[in-house]
Amino acid sequence: SSSSSAVDASSRARSPSVAPRRRAMIIPVRCFTCGKVIGNKWDTYLDLLQADYSERDALDALGLNRYCCRRMVMCHVDLIEKLLRYNTLERVDDA
């Protein structure tokens, strides 16, 4: 047991520090049509929109040239906040 905790501590020490995300979200990792990776572009897209880029300029800056990939990013609706309100473990059956 003590050796497993030592391994866990050493693996945590070697792992690179990751910047915390703004919030939890569920965005598709890949474009449904062409398969291009788009999940890593969401935070940058939001940052560009906050910096007063138009949607077109932000998508161009991210290298999303295909309309299928542009659709995936522009039409994404972040539902995770609404879904987290519902806890299925608290559901009580009346029957």
Side-chain angles (χ1 to χ4, degrees):
S1 172
S2 63
S3 65
S4 66
S5 63
V7 171
D8 292 341
S10 66
S11 65
R12 277 183 265 146
R14 283 185 275 140
S15 64
S17 63
V18 178
R21 294 278 181 196
R22 279 183 257 205
R23 60 187 176 169
M25 68 183 125
I26 299 176
I27 183 158
V29 175
R30 292 185 176 269
C31 175
F32 294 154
T33 306
C34 70
K36 181 176 179 168
V37 176
I38 59 167
N40 61 345
K41 299 181 185 331
W42 180 252
D43 287 334
T44 309
Y45 176 70
L46 294 179
D47 291 339
L48 291 172
L49 292 180
Q50 289 293 321
D52 292 331
Y53 276 65
S54 67
E55 286 86 1
R56 179 181 185 170
D57 292 337
L59 293 169
D60 288 342
L62 292 172
L64 297 174
N65 300 320
R66 296 184 201 119
Y67 64 88
C68 58
C69 299
R70 293 168 86 91
R71 163 199 49 123
M72 293 293 294
V73 174
M74 286 186 68
C75 297
H76 174 68
V77 177
D78 194 15
L79 295 175
I80 189 65
E81 296 298 324
K82 290 182 181 179
L83 292 174
L84 289 176
R85 291 187 207 157
Y86 303 102
N87 186 354
T88 58
L89 299 176
E90 292 179 1
R91 190 175 292 173
V92 178
D93 293 331
D94 293 331

